[in-house]
Amino acid sequence: SSSSSSSRPGEQSQTPSSSDAMLAPLRAVERRARQEIAAHLAPERARVLDLGGLYVVGTERHESRRIDRQLRGRSGRQGDPGASRFFVSVEDRLYKLFGGDALKSLMSTFRIGEDLPVESKRVTDALTKVQTKVETQNFELRSAVLRFDDVLADHRRRIYGARRKLLLADRAASETVLSEWIDFAEGKILASVDRDLGASQDAPPD
């Protein structure tokens, strides 16, 4: 009697594809490279861990809280020891433009000296609010630039479409289009001149 093997419904075949066979040597090289790099960095990693891990020092707060969080995230990654500390001043550009006076009065209220770490939650919350305000302003600026870019893109699309239509048209049609463009430009120029003349006549004399 002959026996035959059949796969169950929904069960994928275990036969490796040709692409897997081609990738197998590359994966082996990658594994060896990872092992060699790990072995090379192991002594240095051990020294860093003995010293307490990576200590990230920030000289100011960034306009984006995301950047600060990324810097903090460099220390203590994947369970390793580490710490971070940011040194800020109310004289920093970020805080002088957005609420530096309020921060000064707040720090004076708590009598925080320049050489003491700011541990008050109210002060750190005030710093975070400044960053939030800047992030909102930057987002609005980017949105405005995007709207302007959409207008320019629409202009380019219309101008290139009209130019292509003019280049592909026959002589009679192209002359008609040029005549329409000239009439349109003359009308706009005359309207602008009339508007400016009317405004100058209505203006009081110096």
Side-chain angles (χ1 to χ4, degrees):
S1 63
S2 61
S3 62
S4 61
S5 62
S6 60
S7 60
R8 298 177 181 177
E11 187 180 57
Q12 295 181 351
S13 175
Q14 299 300 319
T15 303
S17 63
S18 58
S19 59
D20 291 338
M22 295 174 60
L23 292 175
L26 297 177
R27 289 171 178 160
V29 171
E30 180 188 7
R31 283 194 298 269
R32 288 197 300 270
R34 286 179 178 273
Q35 293 171 357
E36 292 177 2
I37 293 174
H40 178 73
L41 296 179
E44 183 177 352
R45 182 176 184 275
R47 288 195 299 270
V48 173
L49 295 179
D50 290 339
L51 294 174
L54 178 64
Y55 196 99
V56 175
V57 177
T59 57
E60 62 180 349
R61 290 283 192 96
H62 195 271
E63 292 182 354
S64 173
R65 289 171 296 169
R66 178 179 59 84
I67 302 299
D68 289 345
R69 286 194 290 265
Q70 287 180 347
L71 287 175
R72 291 191 182 98
R74 295 302 96 189
S75 63
R77 290 186 63 82
Q78 299 179 356
D80 289 341
S84 63
R85 182 172 293 275
F86 281 72
F87 294 89
V88 297
S89 169
V90 292
E91 300 298 330
D92 290 343
R93 177 181 176 275
L94 179 65
Y95 302 120
K96 289 179 69 175
L97 293 178
F98 298 92
D101 295 336
L103 288 174
K104 277 185 178 179
S105 62
L106 190 60
M107 295 181 69
S108 299
T109 302
F110 286 94
R111 298 180 180 179
I112 300 175
E114 294 184 357
D115 57 342
L116 296 177
V118 179
E119 303 292 349
S120 171
K121 189 175 185 303
R122 289 185 60 185
V123 176
T124 54
D125 288 346
L127 297 174
T128 302
K129 287 181 180 178
V130 171
Q131 286 181 299
T132 304
K133 187 184 299 183
V134 177
E135 288 174 345
T136 302
Q137 183 187 62
N138 290 340
F139 175 78
E140 293 174 353
L141 290 175
R142 290 193 298 270
S143 298
V145 171
L146 180 60
R147 290 195 297 271
F148 294 149
D149 186 69
D150 291 340
V151 173
L152 293 177
D154 183 62
H155 288 176
R156 287 192 294 268
R157 184 168 57 252
R158 291 174 181 269
I159 292 297
Y160 291 155
R163 184 185 68 173
R164 180 174 178 81
K165 180 180 178 181
L166 181 63
L167 292 174
L168 298 179
D170 55 21
R171 183 177 182 84
S174 61
E175 290 178 352
T176 301
V177 173
L178 285 175
S179 177
E180 292 175 353
W181 285 4
I182 293 173
D183 293 340
F184 176 79
E186 288 179 348
K188 289 293 183 181
I189 293 172
L190 292 175
S192 177
V193 171
D194 292 341
R195 183 180 64 251
D196 293 341
L197 286 176
S200 62
Q201 291 175 359
D202 295 337
D206 296 336

